[in-house]
Amino acid sequence: MAGLDHFKMALDPAIVKLGHMQTNRHKYFRWTPRTAWITFVYVAVVPSIVGVIAYKTDGLWDLRAKRRGDVIREF
């Protein structure tokens, strides 16, 4: 009478295939010039750009204990 058969849903084959693909992605990965370049950009270029920006703006803004009308820029 109160079985859970009413709530069973059919599995979508495309979603099941996507799940298997994402689980086994490491098995089918190959280093190509494109993947090497993308990895280099995300490992070296992006952090260095963020680091340069952080170094240039270090201590430039002091947001603590500011009141309305105070200047944010220190120098």
Side-chain angles (χ1 to χ4, degrees):
M1 291 195 348
L4 295 177
D5 290 337
H6 304 292
F7 300 109
K8 278 193 171 181
M9 294 178 56
L11 296 175
D12 186 5
I15 295 177
V16 172
K17 184 178 177 182
L18 176 69
H20 288 298
M21 182 186 70
Q22 288 181 348
T23 327
N24 298 321
R25 186 176 305 223
H26 65 282
K27 295 178 184 176
Y28 304 107
F29 178 78
R30 279 197 275 161
W31 284 106
T32 61
R34 181 177 185 266
T35 56
W37 174 249
I38 291 172
T39 303
F40 174 73
V41 166
Y42 281 114
V43 169
V45 175
V46 172
S48 62
I49 290 173
V50 171
V52 166
I53 291 172
Y55 182 75
K56 293 285 185 183
T57 60
D58 185 33
L60 192 59
W61 294 290
D62 185 20
L63 299 177
R64 299 185 80 194
K66 293 291 182 184
R67 296 195 173 123
R68 191 177 344 179
D70 288 348
V71 194
I72 294 177
R73 193 172 175 101
E74 289 294 320
F75 51 91

